[in-house]
Amino acid sequence: MAHIALDAFGGDHAPYEEVKGALLFVEKTGHKVTLVGDEKKISPLIPKDSKIEIVNAPERFGMSAKPTEILKRKEASMNVAAMLVKEGKAEGFVSAGNTGALLVLGTFLLGRMEGIERPAIATVMPSKSGGTVLIDAGANLSLKPPHYVQLGIMGVAYAKGILNKKNPKVGLLNVGAEEEKGPDLLKEVYSLLKDKFGETFCGNVEGRDVFYGDVDVVLSDGFSGNIVLKTSEGVGLFVSEMLKRSIKNSNVIQKIGALLMKGTFDKFKESLDYRKYGGAFLLGVNGIVVKAHGASDSKAIFNALNVAATGIDKKIIDTIRGSV
């Protein structure tokens, strides 16, 4: 049974959606959750017979706050949640709060793993192969060539340990598939990855390959990776909205057909819904850290907690340590 600390005041809809998601998660899975936040505001939202614990942390760390300030804000809910992991009172923590602050806590409070210079955000993108690991998805705006090798090691460990892929194929995000494409930095990275991963390195991949390519792990700097991530969210929302408009403006026969296809449309919509994937791991630090979307509702929080529990159960930290 996993024990997860949840920053109850991280997201846009905190603490209501965090509490709802946590209650459902505990009920459905039996795992333990400790809510971290203003006890006066959280307590009225929790049934008296609930097994969920509360750790009081009266301060909320805002999205616009300077990330490095989190280390000084000892009573901020995100800081206290991370400290529970640091002290061994929880096995991991989840937050929908300030991404930069989460990175600071992971790097400087929990500490980097030996052999990892740049912790990175890893997320699973929907793909025809059942999910592609995108790393880095926003932690590091720029990287040096050796850092990409470290990303590859962490991404492969994620694909093996969490997605159960036996021999994950690794690709380098670039503007073209040819080896000579891209800036000099990526040409150097290409050579390093080829030496490190051998036949499992499938070379350069383009943005479309994240979703429709024969690749399991896509490596990128955080700037480009975050653009891919946010663009995919926008495309998913756009496609869903256009389907609704098309059905609304169709004739009676077409609407009947759409009604008969409702189950198929719902499954398609779900495959593009960021809430299904819940959260992204911050890999390369000494602890399970999961970043949930800032706009997370209870469904997204539930799934983010599930991501953390899976990481704990699959011992993703030990797997990475054994690979570095």
Side-chain angles (χ1 to χ4, degrees), residues 10-12 60-67 96-99 291-295:
D12 298 342
R60 179 173 183 167
F61 193 79
M63 293 290 191
S64 60
K66 186 177 180 182
N98 187 309
T99 303
K291 173 66 175 73
H293 198 291

Side-chain angles (χ1 to χ4, degrees), residues 113-114 116 150-166 168 196-197 281 283-288 310-324:
M113 286 183 185
E114 185 175 352
I116 300 295
Q150 295 169 22
L151 293 187
I153 291 170
M154 293 189 288
V156 167
Y158 189 168
K160 286 182 176 180
I162 305 297
L163 301 183
N164 298 316
K165 300 198 175 187
K166 293 183 179 179
K196 176 64 179 178
F197 296 103
F281 279 111
L283 298 180
V285 299
N286 293 310
I288 295 291
T310 302
I312 293 166
D313 180 59
K314 298 286 189 176
K315 302 184 184 301
I316 186 65
I317 301 299
D318 292 339
T319 301
I320 294 173
R321 286 197 182 111
S323 302
V324 176

Side-chain angles (χ1 to χ4, degrees), residues 33-98:
V33 173
T34 296
L35 288 169
V36 183
D38 190 336
E39 188 172 11
K40 293 180 181 179
K41 296 180 179 179
I42 297 173
S43 292
L45 304 175
I46 300 177
K48 292 182 179 180
D49 60 347
S50 175
K51 297 180 181 179
I52 288 182
E53 298 178 350
I54 301 173
V55 171
N56 189 42
E59 187 179 350
R60 179 173 183 167
F61 193 79
M63 293 290 191
S64 60
K66 186 177 180 182
T68 53
E69 291 296 313
I70 189 64
L71 295 173
K72 301 177 183 178
R73 306 272 282 275
K74 303 298 183 182
E75 294 190 326
S77 56
M78 186 189 291
N79 193 326
V80 175
M83 186 58 71
L84 290 177
V85 178
K86 175 73 173 179
E87 295 174 347
K89 296 177 181 177
E91 297 172 274
F93 87 97
V94 173
S95 177
N98 187 309

